[in-house]
Amino acid sequence: MTGAVLVLNAGSSSLKVAVYGADGGKRRAAATVSGLGQGRPQVAVKGDCAPLPEPPRLPVTDLTVWLLELLSLRTGSIAAVGHRIVHGGRHFDTPVVLDDAAMAALEDLVPLAPLHEPHNLNGVIAAREIWPGAMQVGCFDTAFHRTQPELAQRFALPREMHDDGLVRYGFHGLSYQHIAEVLPDHLGAAAKGRVIVAHLGNGASMCAMRNRRSIATTMGMTALDGLMMGTRSGAIDPGLVLHLIEARGMSPAEAGDLLYHRSGLLGVSGISADLRVLEASADPAAEEAQALFALRAQQAIGGLAAVLGGLDALVFTGGIGQNSAAMRARICDGMNWIGIDLDQSLNRAGGPVLHRQTARVPILALPTDEESVIARATNALLAARTENAR
């Protein structure tokens, strides 16, 4: 694997690493550490890597270093490392080499993505320490949405605030980019039509696409907006936030903790942020949490379809979107008015095709692959640098 390209997705509860050939070929190996901050982490390895030992109880930064050091012993030399960076702001709209200036600019964006950005940047720091000669490349979840019309990116705030960067950025862009790339394989020419992609997981959002480009999305300036999520509230009355601070005496930090960490499926159910746990529960609160999650998703589909002027396809992806037949059924229930007609047997089978043969709107469940998007972008920048050096 001389000159391999490594992809690192360092998150708050997991670390995902994949190794690709330097020619941009298929993935050679992958390792995932899950359950960070939730007891003993678990390691899963696929491909050519030898089994990894059980991860130690370390902070995420140190655990990132541990994992990368182990992989460096197994994968040989690393020519470049591609990183998922959640927030790129207004200026990072394409993959970039992460030099000191880029890292300083990204540090300024940490307050806009406090759950993700610090871990993303710590992954870069760890990879720099282990492979100081490797090119470090940042790929941004916000970049895919920069094709949205200016109006779709605006809040109803004073113009000077918009000009200062208080805009709707949108997230999960690497996932949406992958889905956009594979849509023609499943929809043919209809892939260029009016498509809504639902990336549903612990973090959840939807994207309205036309011609496989982002037209509108549910998340805003931060990854707190839009759909109900695992522990995040999603869209909420801003007056409620003022009430929490002014009338209930919460500090901004306490309000942030409530909305980011103690709301969503976890807050409504009082049981778990894991949909699988809630689906197995007979507690009425678990049922209410699932019903509210589905309702918020239905409302988003209706709103995005209005922006698109109709709907030509609906695509589910993400951990919940791809794997929960029950939640897909909840979301599609009662949506016949817009042409959504789910085939229950196909849905239980997991897809990729989920709609009845007579349905006007195709429904798909597709796996996402953010790592392959990052690998291709990293290989492209690596090839460009090599060409320029000749």
Side-chain angles (χ1 to χ4, degrees), residues 279-291:
E279 288 179 342
S281 174
D283 192 310
E287 166 61 26
E288 187 172 46
Q290 295 172 77

Side-chain angles (χ1 to χ4, degrees), residues 137-288:
V137 174
C139 299
F140 304 96
D141 258 338
T142 49
F144 185 76
H145 302 294
R146 300 283 62 77
T147 60
Q148 292 183 11
E150 180 74 12
L151 199 62
Q153 300 183 49
R154 278 193 173 272
F155 290 113
L157 292 172
R159 299 190 70 84
E160 61 269 19
M161 291 186 173
H162 174 86
D163 295 341
D164 197 35
L166 302 187
V167 303
R168 300 184 62 87
Y169 290 103
F171 298 89
H172 294 134
L174 296 171
S175 174
Y176 291 131
Q177 182 175 337
H178 173 76
I179 297 299
E181 290 172 354
V182 302
L183 269 182
D185 298 336
H186 300 275
L187 297 177
K192 293 184 177 182
R194 302 163 298 183
V195 179
I196 293 175
V197 182
H199 178 107
L200 306 180
N202 188 53
S205 70
M206 291 189 189
C207 179
M209 297 183 192
R210 186 182 294 120
N211 199 24
R212 296 191 289 151
R213 292 159 65 92
S214 178
I215 300 300
T217 189
T218 55
M219 281 182 168
M221 188 180 80
T222 72
L224 184 60
D225 196 11
L227 302 178
M228 176 179 170
M229 304 176 225
T231 64
R232 284 171 263 175
S233 65
I236 199 166
D237 181 353
L240 188 151
V241 182
L242 296 176
H243 171 80
L244 293 175
I245 294 172
E246 296 174 352
R248 299 212 173 188
M250 279 191 177
S251 68
E254 290 170 333
D257 178 65
L258 170 68
L259 299 176
Y260 272 107
H261 301 290
R262 298 191 285 119
S263 298
L265 290 171
L266 173 63
V268 176
S269 70
I271 298 170
S272 176
D274 190 328
L275 182 65
R276 294 167 296 186
V277 174
L278 301 183
E279 288 179 342
S281 174
D283 192 310
E287 166 61 26
E288 187 172 46

Side-chain angles (χ1 to χ4, degrees), residues 8 24 57 98 108 110 123 235 297 312 327 329 334 354 385:
L8 175 62
R57 294 180 181 272
L98 294 172
D108 293 338
V110 166
D312 296 319
M327 183 52 69
L354 305 176
R385 185 176 72 173

